[in-house]
Amino acid sequence: MNLWPPTDCDVSSPSYNWCNMATNTSSLEITTMSPFPDNTSSMTTVQSSTKAADVQNAPTWDDATWILTSSFIIFTMQSGFGLLESGFAGCKNEVNVMAKNVADVIFGGISYWMFGYGLSFGTDPGTNAFCGVGRFFLNPDDSVMGEEYSRFVFQASFATTATTIVSGAMAERTKFTAYIIFSFFNTFVYCFPAHWMWAETGFLKNLDVVDVAGDGPVHVVGGTTALVAAIMIKPRVDRFTSQNNHRMGNPTNALLGTFMLWWGWLAFNCGSTYGISDGKWKIAARSAATTLMSASGGGITAFVASYIVNKRIFEIGYIVNGVLGALVSITAICAVTGTWESLIIGAIGALLACAADALLHRLHIDDPVAAFPVHGVCGAWGLLAPGFFAHEDTITMSFSKRNGLVRGGGFYLLGVQLLALLTLVAWSAFISFVFLKIIDLTVGLRLSLEDELLGADFVEHNIGSNRQMIEVKASDRVNNQNKIEPTKLENGVEERTKENDKPYSSQICLISYRANNEM
């Protein structure tokens, strides 16, 4: 029975014009011109199908706009990391911490352009399962520059983030020149795992590993490197002694940095869909929802944990680490899981972050901003989470090709995720140790005792805070010929006793020093 076009039209109907047009289509003469030569009829069906698939999967200008916009938002995460780390650090090092985040973008960005992007996503002859070849000193042709440049900018923001994670673990006691060298060469630590996980020839990619937004190459690699650096550089002066006066310098900055990272994380996860065409916008929307729900689950868990452990006190460190740990935990699976699962993933991540931070304190490993607990431990959990909670991607059929264990997918995916985790931990621990050891043996990693006590703001940048009183002339410190001793150290802590005798601390950092010319 032929229902179209209709044979009668109601003139009073609002759709009359459309109906009338439909009834008169037979009178229209439609002429089409083929853009292909006459001999295209000889093309095989397989060739036609392949071209159709290429056209469908080809990125559009909408996709490029989406990727670039996400990249710009991710770039603001550097400000978030800077505020977070300067908030956790003491006031005499907060400028230095921010300057290190600037160095990450400058020196990490240039090294990623020079060789990092090529080692990750190069496709020239010689490309293999371990690394890419080509696209060094990236400068593509006009025909592909839109796709290439948008991908480069997006991936460069990931690479610099992996380095920024490490800066928090090295805060308040690292030479600035040593850190600049490290931020340049840390691209090597990141770019190979990125190839394994995301490049078409990467060996983990071909095992169907699931990592939507970088739990492995960014957070596991960055967190593991942070642990290696913290162990090598050793704790800050008096950190685990009875004279310990290291406290959070500016909780407001730490919370503001958390909000900025939260904002950037939405772009981090949603932008990893690499577009919004062909149903990818649906995946991006799911990524946003699961990211928010995971952070909520982690935040609730952190509030409850702090209230119980700290006897009705909501510690800022617990809240910050709980939220960030949850955001890290959802990163690998954000596009291929549900909101209920994301709440569970975030809650577990928050517990792991707070517990791992407490464990580092017991082991006397000094990680001022909990970089390893938040990024290393939660990154490991996030990389394993798809093995349990992943949904098969039925929209783009690219982010997850099978279900996780909870959804009846078997143990294969969990095994692949575990293999990826062990591979990335082993790689980043070894390579970062080699780089840091070479830097330590040449220029030295750690500030001298006198410089650490004076603070990196003054020593490295000649900046004295109005909250510091330093009675020493720079000329007295030439060539380290004069011995400078702290003669009076007031930690400036105001303590207000509350109902439960819990001190409320606000560090003011009042320090006075005197130069002693006796060797």
Side-chain angles (χ1 to χ4, degrees):
M1 180 177 180
N2 187 12
L3 298 178
W4 188 264
T7 57
D8 57 336
C9 298
D10 183 2
V11 179
S12 62
S13 171
S15 60
Y16 172 76
N17 290 334
W18 289 103
C19 180
N20 188 46
M21 184 183 295
T23 60
N24 290 284
T25 53
S26 60
S27 65
L28 298 176
E29 181 178 354
I30 302 174
T31 304
T32 60
M33 298 182 63
S34 173
F36 302 104
D38 293 338
N39 61 355
T40 53
S41 58
S42 62
M43 296 176 64
T44 64
T45 304
V46 174
Q47 290 172 324
S48 300
S49 301
T50 302
K51 285 197 171 186
D54 290 341
V55 171
Q56 184 178 7
N57 294 328
T60 66
W61 67 269
D62 290 327
D63 294 335
T65 303
W66 177 256
I67 295 169
L68 286 173
T69 304
S70 299
S71 302
F72 302 154
I73 297 174
I74 294 171
F75 188 82
T76 64
M77 293 180 74
Q78 294 291 341
S79 303
F81 276 114
L83 286 170
L84 176 75
E85 293 168 11
S86 65
F88 272 88
C91 62
K92 60 183 178 178
N93 295 288
E94 58 188 6
V95 176
N96 179 256
V97 169
M98 295 293 287
K100 287 177 180 175
N101 282 269
V102 176
D104 291 334
V105 177
I106 295 173
F107 297 97
I110 194 69
S111 63
Y112 191 73
W113 169 75
M114 290 168 63
F115 52 81
Y117 184 77
L119 290 173
S120 294
F121 299 105
T123 56
D124 288 357
T127 297
N128 52 68
F130 182 74
C131 69
V133 176
R135 302 184 185 178
F136 303 119
F137 300 91
L138 183 67
N139 189 29
D141 296 332
D142 291 350
S143 60
V144 296
M145 71 174 183
E147 177 186 358
E148 203 74 74
Y149 278 139
S150 59
R151 187 176 191 178
F152 164 74
V153 173
F154 189 79
Q155 287 294 329
S157 64
F158 274 42
T160 55
T161 298
T163 304
T164 299
I165 292 170
V166 186
S167 68
M170 305 170 72
E172 301 195 85
R173 62 217 195 266
T174 306
K175 290 182 179 179
F176 194 56
T177 51
Y179 185 80
I180 288 174
I181 297 171
F182 168 78
S183 65
F184 180 87
F185 286 103
N186 192 56
T187 298
F188 275 110
V189 185
Y190 165 83
C191 63
F192 289 96
H195 178 82
W196 306 338
M197 301 288 281
W198 294 323
E200 292 301 322
T201 56
F203 77 95
L204 291 173
K205 171 76 171 179
N206 288 304
L207 292 175
D208 296 335
V209 70
V210 176
D211 189 357
V212 176
D215 247 335
V218 177
H219 298 288
V220 170
V221 169
T224 303
T225 304
L227 178 64
V228 172
I231 293 174
M232 288 184 63
I233 206 168
K234 297 181 174 57
R236 290 165 289 177
V237 174
D238 293 333
R239 176 64 180 92
F240 299 108
T241 67
S242 58
Q243 283 90 27
N244 175 40
N245 69 321
H246 296 283
R247 294 176 177 83
M248 187 180 293
N250 194 327
T252 302
N253 276 4
L255 287 171
L256 181 58
T258 301
F259 272 116
M260 294 189 69
L261 290 173
W262 204 336
W263 149 257
W265 231 289
L266 290 170
F268 206 93
N269 290 356
C270 298
S272 294
T273 60
Y274 271 94
I276 53 176
S277 63
D278 298 326
K280 286 181 282 191
W281 67 272
K282 300 177 183 179
I283 296 292
R286 177 193 281 173
S287 298
T290 56
T291 300
L292 288 174
M293 288 301 97
S294 179
S296 296
I300 292 171
T301 303
F303 270 89
V304 173
S306 179
Y307 190 81
I308 294 173
V309 174
N310 298 306
K311 299 177 181 179
R312 296 186 295 166
I313 295 295
F314 298 105
E315 290 281 351
I316 299 302
Y318 271 73
I319 297 171
V320 169
N321 292 338
V323 171
L324 295 181
L327 289 169
V328 171
S329 299
I330 198 64
T331 299
I333 197 178
C334 58
V336 287
T337 194
T339 49
W340 280 105
E341 292 96 325
S342 64
L343 283 168
I344 298 171
I345 293 169
I348 295 174
L351 285 176
L352 290 173
C354 296
D357 189 37
L359 178 62
L360 289 188
H361 281 261
R362 285 185 173 272
L363 297 175
H364 288 187
I365 298 175
D366 190 11
D367 185 350
V369 301
F372 174 70
V374 169
H375 299 278
V377 174
C378 293
W381 159 238
L383 201 55
L384 293 177
F388 297 99
F389 300 110
H391 299 189
E392 183 181 356
D393 180 8
T394 58
I395 298 176
T396 66
M397 293 173 288
S398 60
F399 292 108
S400 178
K401 297 182 179 179
R402 48 177 51 85
N403 288 317
L405 188 62
V406 173
R407 295 178 64 87
F411 287 93
Y412 176 83
L413 182 56
L414 181 60
V416 171
Q417 299 298 121
L418 179 60
L419 173 64
L421 173 61
L422 295 177
T423 302
L424 298 187
V425 169
W427 165 265
S428 53
F430 175 73
I431 299 300
S432 61
F433 173 80
V434 171
F435 281 135
L436 289 169
K437 193 64 178 178
I438 292 173
I439 295 172
D440 191 34
L441 293 175
T442 52
V443 300
L445 277 175
R446 181 155 184 156
L447 291 170
S448 65
L449 174 61
E450 61 189 44
D451 288 348
E452 184 178 345
L453 290 171
L454 286 169
D457 288 358
F458 178 74
V459 173
E460 301 280 14
H461 311 288
N462 198 28
I463 295 175
S465 170
N466 58 4
R467 291 172 293 176
Q468 292 174 298
M469 296 183 299
I470 304 177
E471 298 174 358
V472 61
K473 295 180 180 179
S475 58
D476 292 333
R477 302 179 54 254
V478 176
N479 298 324
N480 286 329
Q481 293 179 354
N482 298 321
K483 182 180 179 182
I484 299 176
E485 299 176 339
T487 58
K488 184 180 181 182
L489 181 62
E490 302 177 69
N491 59 23
V493 174
E494 299 174 350
E495 295 187 355
R496 296 202 296 266
T497 303
K498 292 189 175 181
E499 296 177 358
N500 57 1
D501 296 328
K502 192 74 177 179
Y504 175 85
S505 299
S506 174
Q507 190 173 9
I508 302 176
C509 298
L510 299 177
I511 306 174
S512 69
Y513 288 88
R514 182 181 64 189
N516 183 354
N517 292 326
E518 296 179 2
M519 296 300 294

